[in-house]
Amino acid sequence: MTANDEYIAEILEGVGLISHDQAKTALQHAETLNIGVVDALCKLGDAKELDILKALANQFGMETINLASLDIEEDVRDMMSGEIARRYKVVPVFRHENTLTVALSDPLDVDTLDSLRYILKTNVEGVVAPREEIQRALETYYPDNSGSVESMLSEITEGSVTIPGDIRDLAAEDAEVTDSDAPIIKLVSLIILEAFRSRASDIHLEPLGKKFRVRYRIDGVLHEVESPPRRLQAAIVSRVKIMSNMSIAEKRIPQDGRIEINVMGRDLDLRVSTIPTNHGESVVMRILDKESVLLGLSQLGFFSDDQQTFEKLIASPDGIILVTGPTGSGKTTTLYACLNQLNRPDRKLITVEDPVEYQLSGINQVHVRANIGLTFAAALRSILRQAPNIVMIGEIRDMETAEIAVNASLTGHLVLSTLHTNDAPGAVTRLIDIGVKPFLVASSTRGIMAQRLVRRVCSKCKQEEKATASELRLLGPAAGLVEGAALVRGAGCAECSFTGYKGRLGIYEIFQIDDEVRNMIYGKVSTADLRHRARELGMRTLREDGLRKAVAGMTTLEEVFRVTMGDAD
């Protein structure tokens, strides 16, 4: 949080863009995560960056511009070197006589304008543009090719790096960096940096027979990138293990570790996992961006009717709310968004997680440590004596954890948790299979939401299209939902790395438990019968919600087919 944040919040509140409570909450999040209040407001969904910048620019008599629509002349660009532009994060846009106009993202940053006047020996005035637009303009007009994996690999020639032999058999904390190791250190850092720039959620380092493959998972899909030579495999894996405090001498068993790193001013946590394979150790680094969890429910992809239904469920004073789906379907992000909404000074919130992925302000978070006996069940027994109002359990994995969660919900606590099932009604059967008695499931469960993530169509290159005959055949009875509708598809552009997609959103099915459903659970009816009743209550399936979002121009039919199954009824 910067010194100007309280002033910015006061201005935005004064012009009516945000309320007093929103300003207060944003300042708390900004302080906790060490980010600006503008970033906090955008993450919370309380205001859009462009609206904030327009309000601030108007307050200080400045203009806002659309950088994406400008073609900046070469003589204007030549007035500033790429090094200065990147250092101050500004882009020169106009020149009139002896005055240079530059675009910057912070209208209060008068120090930057003063510094530029001194460096350039000319009068400098500022206009305001969103930070993303400035970053894209810098990459277009002042590309920095010195810090890429490709350029780094071209510098590493045969013999320029010694394969470390487990870094000369030294322990990680005692390993010394020599000149021959330095290129590997820089290369690993660049691999992480480029993954962050690409918005990747995971980095996969995979030893294959004749190559050492590097892939980034971007918007849920793996993309292969420039891979280092096979001869650098041992050095790169050893470097990653040193950074994550793993044993570099042990290569026979899987290991887990964690890396804390600052990338482009953002604090990231990387969860690192290694596993031995036929051709060496495979490494996966999961990138956890602390700012990405500051999402409000409105930013997850809900339509207004589903959001109201879900908000009504989590407003229950007690009971269990379950979020289901496979690994990587966004369950944890949804639960954190719920906690952000429920977190108030008059409530006590405690979470039990394995591990604690993100630090949340005002919430007590417990990290499960099975090796010392602090299991989910053991932690739950203890935290219930802490008199919480709301408990979040990272995952219900076994009967003991499930029973304690149920008992907590029946004694006046609201319990939020996740479960691995394919759909919402299937969670009931899963709890009973775990060993929870049907009458306890029926009495405690308030609602279940299944979810998946689909890629969002790039807003810069989307174009209209109609559903094809083959797609309509695949939809079967649901074809009427999209037939004749103006669907969209991304053509591919530099903004989305020519994939046609940028970002992801959720698709949901929400199963509300009413008295009739409770009686059905008592009677141990099948999942199919529960699903039929849920449909009668108005539950839309995952595919139906996906089709609604395809018709709304948010995603494509191809994405909906990729992550959902056809409905039986």
Side-chain angles (χ1 to χ4, degrees):
M1 189 171 74
T2 66
N4 290 325
D5 280 337
E6 289 186 4
Y7 183 41
I8 291 173
E10 185 179 333
I11 291 172
L12 298 177
E13 185 183 343
V15 299
L17 190 61
I18 58 173
S19 67
H20 178 70
D21 288 342
Q22 287 173 325
K24 186 177 178 181
T25 301
L27 286 169
Q28 289 173 346
H29 282 299
E31 184 175 6
T32 301
L33 294 176
N34 194 28
I35 60 176
V37 71
V38 174
D39 290 331
L41 285 167
C42 295
K43 292 290 183 184
L44 290 168
D46 292 336
K48 295 181 179 178
E49 183 185 12
L50 187 58
D51 293 335
I52 294 172
L53 293 180
K54 284 180 178 178
L56 294 175
N58 185 60
Q59 187 76 15
F60 297 105
M62 298 175 70
E63 294 181 10
T64 55
I65 63 167
N66 182 359
L67 262 182
S69 65
L70 286 180
D71 184 12
I72 302 172
E73 296 178 0
E74 187 174 353
D75 63 329
V76 175
R77 302 198 304 266
D78 290 344
M79 292 189 68
M80 184 182 297
S81 68
E83 181 184 353
I84 292 174
R86 289 190 296 271
R87 184 196 309 166
Y88 290 99
K89 295 182 173 60
V90 298
V91 177
V93 288
F94 306 116
R95 182 178 67 172
H96 180 67
E97 296 180 350
N98 293 325
T99 299
L100 177 66
T101 301
V102 300
L104 70 168
S105 61
D106 184 358
L108 278 72
D109 190 4
V110 294
D111 290 340
T112 287
L113 296 178
D114 287 340
S115 298
L116 290 174
R117 291 183 187 111
Y118 177 78
I119 294 169
L120 301 176
K121 308 300 182 187
T122 189
N123 186 37
V124 178
E125 293 182 354
V127 291
V128 182
R131 186 168 45 189
E132 257 191 45
E133 289 188 10
I134 290 176
Q135 185 60 40
R136 283 199 298 271
L138 287 174
E139 291 171 359
T140 301
Y141 297 117
Y142 300 104
D144 180 11
N145 297 319
S146 63
S148 66
V149 172
E150 289 84 352
S151 64
M152 184 71 228
L153 289 174
S154 67
E155 294 173 12
I156 301 177
T157 57
E158 189 75 42
S160 67
V161 176
T162 58
I163 303 304
D166 289 343
I167 310 297
R168 292 160 299 282
D169 296 320
L170 296 172
E173 58 270 22
D174 297 324
E176 297 178 0
V177 179
T178 67
D179 290 341
S180 61
D181 299 325
I184 291 298
I185 293 171
K186 185 177 180 184
L187 177 59
V188 171
S189 298
L190 285 174
I191 288 172
I192 296 172
L193 173 61
E194 291 210 353
F196 176 74
R197 285 173 174 166
S198 303
R199 303 177 295 105
S201 59
D202 304 270
I203 304 169
H204 293 251
L205 308 177
E206 302 165 313
L208 304 177
K210 296 182 179 179
K211 65 183 291 189
F212 184 53
R213 182 169 66 182
V214 178
R215 294 193 290 177
Y216 296 157
R217 188 180 296 278
I218 303 170
D219 294 334
V221 178
L222 284 169
H223 298 269
E224 187 169 350
V225 296
E226 182 74 18
S227 298
R230 180 77 166 78
R231 60 188 172 82
L232 299 182
Q233 174 184 322
I236 292 171
V237 172
S238 291
R239 174 59 187 164
V240 171
K241 292 172 76 172
I242 285 172
M243 293 174 71
S244 50
N245 292 318
M246 295 183 191
S247 168
I248 57 175
E250 182 57 76
K251 300 179 180 179
R252 301 164 299 170
I253 59 174
Q255 296 188 67
D256 294 306
R258 195 163 194 154
I259 299 171
E260 293 185 358
I261 191 170
N262 186 282
V263 175
M264 297 171 66
R266 301 267 284 272
D267 291 325
L268 303 182
D269 282 345
L270 277 68
R271 273 174 36 199
V272 185
S273 169
T274 68
I275 190 168
T277 70
N278 286 345
H279 302 290
E281 290 179 283
S282 174
V283 180
V284 175
M285 292 182 272
R286 176 83 181 274
I287 300 174
L288 304 173
D289 181 1
K290 295 180 180 179
E291 292 186 25
S292 68
V293 77
L294 273 179
L295 295 176
L297 288 175
S298 60
Q299 294 173 283
L300 298 180
F302 285 106
F303 276 129
S304 58
D305 52 352
D306 282 342
Q307 184 173 335
Q308 289 175 3
T309 300
F310 190 61
E311 286 179 345
K312 181 180 176 183
L313 285 175
I314 65 173
S316 304
D318 54 34
I320 295 179
I321 309 295
L322 292 172
V323 180
T324 77
T327 301
S329 60
K331 301 186 299 296
T332 301
T333 300
T334 297
L335 287 184
Y336 278 137
C338 293
L339 293 176
N340 280 330
Q341 177 147 329
L342 295 170
N343 187 14
R344 297 206 312 248
D346 61 338
R347 293 172 173 166
K348 180 160 186 173
L349 282 71
I350 302 183
T351 73
V352 185
E353 305 170 66
D354 182 20
V356 174
E357 293 188 355
Y358 303 96
Q359 302 289 334
L360 299 177
S361 173
I363 296 175
N364 300 279
Q365 296 173 267
V366 179
H367 184 171
V368 168
R369 300 178 190 274
N371 60 327
I372 60 171
L374 186 61
T375 61
F376 273 106
L380 275 172
R381 287 194 202 93
S382 298
I383 68 173
L384 292 179
R385 291 193 286 271
Q386 296 278 313
N389 300 100
I390 299 166
V391 177
M392 192 271 269
I393 306 169
E395 182 185 345
I396 293 179
R397 298 179 178 177
D398 51 44
M399 178 179 174
E400 191 176 13
T401 304
E403 283 191 332
I404 297 172
V406 167
N407 290 332
S409 70
L410 294 174
T411 53
H413 303 86
L414 177 64
V415 179
L416 308 175
S417 189
T418 70
L419 203 61
H420 287 283
T421 62
N422 289 328
D423 59 7
V428 172
T429 307
R430 173 67 177 145
L431 286 174
I432 294 172
D433 288 344
I434 286 175
V436 182
K437 293 180 174 59
F439 77 90
L440 289 176
V441 175
S443 302
S444 60
T445 310
R446 296 287 177 267
I448 305 164
M449 183 175 76
Q451 70 175 70
R452 299 288 189 277
L453 293 177
V454 293
R455 289 183 289 175
R456 193 186 293 269
V457 176
C458 175
S459 60
K460 298 291 184 183
C461 63
K462 67 180 179 182
Q463 54 191 29
E464 288 191 5
E465 66 172 19
K466 299 290 184 182
T468 64
S470 61
E471 288 173 334
L472 292 174
R473 281 196 301 273
L474 284 171
L475 288 173
L481 296 174
V482 301
E483 193 169 6
L487 305 175
V488 297
R489 179 181 299 275
C493 64
E495 178 73 15
C496 60
S497 301
F498 300 96
T499 63
Y501 300 98
K502 185 176 181 184
R504 289 190 288 178
L505 72 151
I507 56 175
Y508 307 96
E509 65 178 35
I510 303 175
F511 183 18
Q512 299 182 77
I513 310 297
D514 68 355
D515 289 338
E516 184 176 338
V517 172
R518 290 190 178 90
N519 289 329
M520 294 173 73
I521 297 172
Y522 290 147
K524 299 183 181 180
V525 302
S526 67
T527 300
D529 290 336
L530 286 174
R531 169 170 283 273
H532 181 71
R533 174 56 186 162
R535 299 293 299 276
E536 290 179 344
L537 289 172
M539 182 189 82
R540 271 181 294 271
T541 64
L542 288 166
R543 173 153 289 190
E544 287 171 342
D545 193 44
L547 294 178
R548 284 206 304 165
K549 284 163 184 170
V551 171
M554 302 164 74
T555 188
T556 63
L557 287 181
E558 182 183 0
E559 277 296 286
V560 177
F561 290 141
R562 184 176 67 87
V563 303
T564 66
M565 295 175 60
D567 299 323
D569 53 340

